[in-house]
Amino acid sequence: QVQLVESGGGLVQAGGSLRLSCAVSGRIFSINAMGWYRQAPGKQRELVATINDRGNTNYADSVKGRFTISRDNAKNTVVLQMNSLKPEDTAVYYCNADVTREYYQYPMDYWGKGTLVTVSS
């Protein structure tokens, strides 16, 4: 099985920073894209940022210039550095990874259980 475990959520004041980490473990041949998504109360899950295996990144317009995604391919981890946080960033943040478990298999999407980020005004 493949497991994704997030860490780093919590409560922070507006303007503050948080760093989310996600570790991918299990039987893994390769990890393609990795990313972070979030879901605020009463809203649909939305993309925050993604990074592919070559380091190319993509960000939601709402977080550009404030959030930075990075990955460590040797450790199978992805990090989301969140600066200048706003109350509207409050959500459960989910880690996502597109994983190929065996060389002959198609990649599959895996999700973490989520970590809560609360930004107070």
Side-chain angles (χ1 to χ4, degrees), residues 7 15 18 20 24 37 41 44 51-52 60 71 76 79 84 90-91 94-95 100 107-109 114 118-119:
S7 60
L18 280 176
L20 304 183
V24 185
Y37 293 72
Q44 289 189 329
I51 183 168
N52 67 14
R71 65 188 280 175
N76 291 337
V79 170
S84 302
T90 295
Y94 296 91
C95 177
T100 301
M108 289 181 61
D109 245 8
T118 304
V119 184

Side-chain angles (χ1 to χ4, degrees), residues 48-90:
V48 176
T50 62
I51 183 168
N52 67 14
D53 55 356
R54 287 165 289 180
N56 298 316
T57 58
N58 180 51
Y59 294 93
D61 288 342
S62 59
V63 307
K64 281 181 181 176
R66 300 188 298 122
F67 292 10
T68 302
I69 189 170
S70 61
R71 65 188 280 175
D72 184 330
N73 292 328
K75 296 181 179 180
N76 291 337
T77 58
V78 60
V79 170
L80 185 69
Q81 178 65 44
M82 305 186 294
N83 299 327
S84 302
L85 282 160
K86 304 175 180 180
E88 51 263 43
D89 294 318
T90 295

Side-chain angles (χ1 to χ4, degrees), residues 29 100-106:
F29 174 73
T100 301
R101 296 184 62 192
E102 302 285 354
Y103 72 94
Y104 52 83
Q105 292 181 333
Y106 289 108

Side-chain angles (χ1 to χ4, degrees), residues 1 3 16-18 21 31 39 43 58-59 63-64 74 81-82 85 93-94 98 116 121:
Q1 252 319 345
Q3 290 187 322
S17 298
L18 280 176
S21 295
I31 302 176
Q39 187 167 16
K43 295 187 177 181
N58 180 51
Y59 294 93
V63 307
K64 281 181 181 176
Q81 178 65 44
M82 305 186 294
L85 282 160
Y93 284 70
Y94 296 91
D98 190 38
L116 177 63
S121 56

